[in-house]
Amino acid sequence: MDVRYMAGAFYRALTAAKDGPSLYDICDPVFLRQSCGNSHLATFYRTALNNPALRLVLRRSGLPELRDPIRVRALRDALSAACDDDAPDWAAIGQPVADLVDTIELSHPKPKRVVPPPHLPRPADIDAAIRACGTHLLGSFDRNGFIPTYAAFNLIGDPDCGGRELLMALTGLNARGYKNSTLMFNLARVFIARSATGRLINPPWIGIAEPMWQPVQIRHRTAYYDAFFTEALLAFIDTDLATGAESAASRDAIDQMVAFCLKTSRETVRGPDGGTVDVVTALAPLPHPRFSRFFWQIKQRLGFDVYVPDCDTTACSLSAATQAGCNDPMLQQPLIDFYAGLQVRDGGNAPSVTVPLNDSIDYDGGIVTWIDSLAGERPFGNDLDPTLNLDVLELSFRNAARWQVIETPKRLETLRRIIGFHRRLIESGQFADPKSHIYYLPELYCAYFGRCTAALRALPEAVQRAIDPDDAFAAMREKVLGYVQDELITREINPFDAALALIALGHLGAEPDSFKAPLNCILDALGEGWRGAPFKAYEWNKMKTPTRILVGGPEVTSAFVLMGLALARRALAPRPAA
């Protein structure tokens, strides 16, 4: 973070000329009155938007069009309806806010092209960086009893979410609290993005993945994170760079994290045949998420107190357990049958995607994100994310024999339809468009595509041919590898971007020259982190609703860098003599 830049941005936010009514001029009369029918909305306003710190920097952020009393009345009436009506008309309530959201001009990063470095770094330097990342992860686990990840709110919102997407969310989400927070965050982001405060909230950065500079970050633990930390420590062991003590500590941490995934985070839901199935919840009950009491109370006040299982956490947890050699009975369930019940069929259950923020892509064959709880709860409605569908494939490839995928025509058809979903996405070029993704960057999709491809290529050739008779993965590989080589690594990147590039390049069998730019980027940045971390925290995944919520952390960066460097090290190792 550039301290001089932040100081200047803070000063400009405090001293900017006020050009019309502010967020507080609009909202105070609605939410600070004695009676508000839906107490959550008033509580949300007071906690999330009317706190002293945000009010300080937003009090001079005004919108000139709100000098029009008719427009102000329409906006306040909509907010009052959201607050007071028993069954709000969310499309009507959202329209005045959506009109304002459409005045925001935001864009995704467009890094400039750079001259590639001339040489590969020394193998010894790669090894040293791997050891630094492994030591960081093990040290964090030893201090905390788990490896933490952090969430941070970026109130300026996501460039892909305009007024149309706001209305999709308001009408497609189920939980009223989540609708409330989406409405209010989107109203606030207009005042932020169109004022000097925007440059304070959203400073510029190098590369694609956004650095997590936000001063308030919420530490927590989920099975999804433990699954990827498990993979990182498995990669550390496989490099043979860990000492004997570090290998033993890694194994112990892996065992504990797999247990957290499959035991602590296990949840029973209804299966497609009416029976029950064990899946993995997105957020285990207290005390397991390891929130501080302060943040847990804020989380409940803001309306984020109900979570349900999801297909991605389930897939990644079971994949990590499989890789770790676990034989938990949960792995014996042919979960591909459960996923088939959540697969979109054109003209069939396509309406199951209730929040279609990425409706420019063809959903047919894809698996939706959220799993109804046994009580029938689905607070987030449902959406469909491409990267999640790679994780479902990867898990299924690793368990193809156990689940008798090849021997069961329906299971084989389910996999082929997911592959067809990806093939259309990749061949159209839409995989490289951030708008095609709900929770991830296109660059991360490329890395996970490499990971998925590696799981397929590890299967016997006859099994590969049965799953992919048209050799779709070979065609997709060319497109994805071309994007990484011709776009991602030819531009300014940061260490997290570089790690994603290495994972894609390593798994997809790229030529050694392709590794130069990402390897040099990572090694040049080694030591940039704070408090002994090798690297800073960067965006791993995100939520687009209710606002842009980034998830990552310095440990996450270490995990991805470690996995990327391990693959590069293997790819660059001297070939044995014939």
Side-chain angles (χ1 to χ4, degrees):
M1 180 175 62
D2 186 327
V3 175
R4 291 184 61 186
Y5 172 92
M6 298 303 293
F10 184 66
Y11 174 79
R12 286 187 290 273
L14 293 182
T15 60
K18 188 178 178 184
D19 191 14
S22 71
L23 173 69
Y24 305 106
D25 295 329
I26 299 297
C27 293
D28 282 359
V30 177
F31 299 119
L32 300 187
R33 55 191 164 100
Q34 290 295 316
S35 173
C36 181
N38 183 261
S39 60
H40 168 263
L41 191 52
T43 300
F44 180 89
Y45 174 70
R46 295 188 188 102
T47 303
L49 302 181
N50 194 36
N51 64 78
L54 190 59
R55 188 159 188 140
L56 176 67
V57 296
L58 267 184
R59 63 191 177 88
R60 303 189 67 82
S61 302
L63 302 181
E65 59 263 49
L66 294 184
R67 291 196 186 102
D68 179 354
I70 296 176
R71 195 159 187 180
V72 169
R73 173 52 54 195
L75 188 55
R76 283 185 178 150
D77 286 348
L79 297 176
S80 295
C83 195
D84 298 332
D85 291 358
D86 292 334
D89 181 346
W90 288 103
I93 287 169
Q95 192 60 59
V97 179
D99 292 340
L100 290 174
V101 169
D102 280 335
T103 67
I104 299 174
E105 295 182 6
L106 298 176
S107 62
H108 293 283
K110 296 181 177 62
K112 64 183 181 182
R113 291 199 180 271
V114 294
V115 177
H119 304 295
L120 286 164
R122 297 185 310 159
D125 293 334
I126 297 173
D127 290 355
I130 290 174
R131 290 191 185 97
C133 291
T135 300
H136 180 218
L137 293 176
L138 292 174
S140 182
F141 189 91
D142 185 58
R143 287 191 304 275
N144 299 294
F146 71 108
I147 302 177
T149 303
Y150 301 81
F153 288 80
N154 184 333
L155 297 181
I156 205 164
D158 195 275
D160 293 325
C161 288
R164 172 177 174 269
E165 288 72 27
L166 168 61
L167 296 178
M168 283 181 178
L170 291 177
T171 55
L173 297 167
N174 288 343
R176 184 163 180 173
Y178 208 54
K179 291 173 186 274
N180 288 343
S181 56
T182 299
L183 177 73
M184 296 308 299
F185 273 137
N186 274 272
L187 178 60
R189 64 189 286 239
V190 181
F191 291 88
I192 294 169
R194 290 180 51 189
S195 71
T197 306
R199 291 185 287 277
L200 176 65
I201 297 291
N202 199 52
W205 69 87
I206 292 174
I208 302 294
E210 182 175 342
M212 293 179 62
W213 73 270
Q214 289 83 350
V216 178
Q217 297 186 16
I218 304 172
R219 188 184 78 163
H220 60 300
R221 181 185 193 183
T222 77
Y224 182 78
Y225 311 149
D226 275 26
F228 277 92
F229 290 132
T230 293
E231 288 197 22
L233 290 180
L234 286 170
F236 187 37
I237 294 171
D238 287 346
T239 63
D240 292 326
L241 294 174
T243 65
E246 288 172 333
S247 292
S250 295
R251 281 291 175 192
D252 180 61
I254 288 166
D255 289 344
Q256 291 188 49
M257 290 190 290
V258 169
F260 182 84
C261 290
L262 301 195
K263 298 185 186 302
T264 306
S265 302
R266 183 180 304 198
E267 184 169 345
T268 300
V269 299
R270 192 72 59 196
D273 60 356
T276 58
V277 177
D278 287 337
V279 295
V280 183
T281 191
L283 196 67
L286 284 176
H288 302 297
R290 304 296 289 264
F291 289 111
S292 70
R293 184 180 298 274
F294 172 72
F295 279 123
W296 181 260
Q297 291 172 346
I298 287 182
K299 179 176 173 292
Q300 290 181 304
R301 286 204 299 268
L302 297 186
F304 306 130
D305 54 332
V306 177
Y307 272 76
V308 292
D310 68 273
C311 292
D312 214 5
T313 299
T314 300
C316 293
S317 296
L318 295 181
S319 172
T322 302
Q323 294 175 68
C326 175
N327 288 309
D328 190 284
M330 192 174 180
L331 289 165
Q332 302 304 321
Q333 304 173 116
L335 272 181
I336 189 62
D337 294 344
F338 177 74
Y339 284 130
L342 299 171
Q343 189 170 42
V344 172
R345 292 184 178 272
D346 192 21
N349 65 340
S352 62
V353 182
T354 65
V355 189
L357 301 181
N358 56 346
D359 62 353
S360 57
I361 69 173
D362 181 359
Y363 293 145
D364 185 51
I367 308 296
V368 295
T369 301
W370 298 101
I371 302 169
D372 291 4
S373 69
L374 203 57
E377 295 169 309
R378 191 194 298 170
F380 313 118
N382 227 323
D383 49 49
L384 193 152
D385 182 82
T387 307
L388 175 156
N389 278 266
L390 289 174
D391 292 335
V392 171
L393 280 181
E394 191 261 355
L395 169 68
S396 301
F397 296 159
R398 292 191 184 280
N399 289 277
R402 176 183 276 151
W403 295 348
Q404 296 188 308
V405 169
I406 305 307
E407 297 82 358
T408 312
K410 187 176 178 181
R411 293 171 186 166
L412 190 56
E413 181 202 9
T414 299
L415 284 193
R416 287 177 176 174
R417 293 189 65 239
I418 302 174
I419 293 170
F421 163 78
H422 287 292
R423 187 167 192 172
R424 292 191 302 276
L425 181 76
I426 290 173
E427 289 187 345
S428 69
Q430 289 177 299
F431 79 98
D433 183 353
K435 192 171 178 60
S436 299
H437 303 268
I438 298 291
Y439 300 108
Y440 303 95
L441 295 166
E443 292 71 21
L444 192 131
Y445 176 87
C446 294
Y448 284 24
F449 176 80
R451 172 175 168 266
C452 183
T453 300
L456 176 65
R457 297 305 179 213
L459 295 173
E461 285 191 19
V463 177
Q464 292 184 47
R465 286 195 298 271
I467 291 173
D468 184 19
D470 300 326
D471 213 6
F473 269 83
M476 292 188 287
R477 172 190 177 275
E478 295 304 314
K479 285 271 192 179
V480 173
L481 195 54
Y483 175 74
V484 175
Q485 292 176 320
D486 300 337
E487 287 296 324
L488 176 56
I489 63 174
T490 62
R491 299 178 183 273
E492 280 190 329
I493 54 176
N494 59 48
F496 200 87
D497 303 334
L500 299 180
L502 289 179
I503 293 170
L505 295 169
H507 280 314
L508 296 178
E511 291 299 315
D513 274 358
S514 297
F515 292 86
K516 290 178 181 177
L519 282 174
N520 279 281
C521 171
I522 286 171
L523 296 181
D524 288 346
L526 184 61
E528 69 171 11
W530 300 338
R531 298 179 181 175
F535 300 97
K536 296 177 183 176
Y538 294 89
E539 168 191 358
W540 172 14
N541 57 69
K542 61 178 177 288
M543 301 282 286
K544 291 186 175 182
T545 60
T547 188
R548 183 172 169 82
I549 304 175
L550 303 179
V551 175
E555 288 88 353
V556 170
T557 308
S558 287
F560 275 86
V561 167
L562 192 160
M563 290 188 285
L565 291 178
L567 286 166
R569 182 177 185 266
R570 185 192 310 163
L572 299 175
R575 300 283 190 268

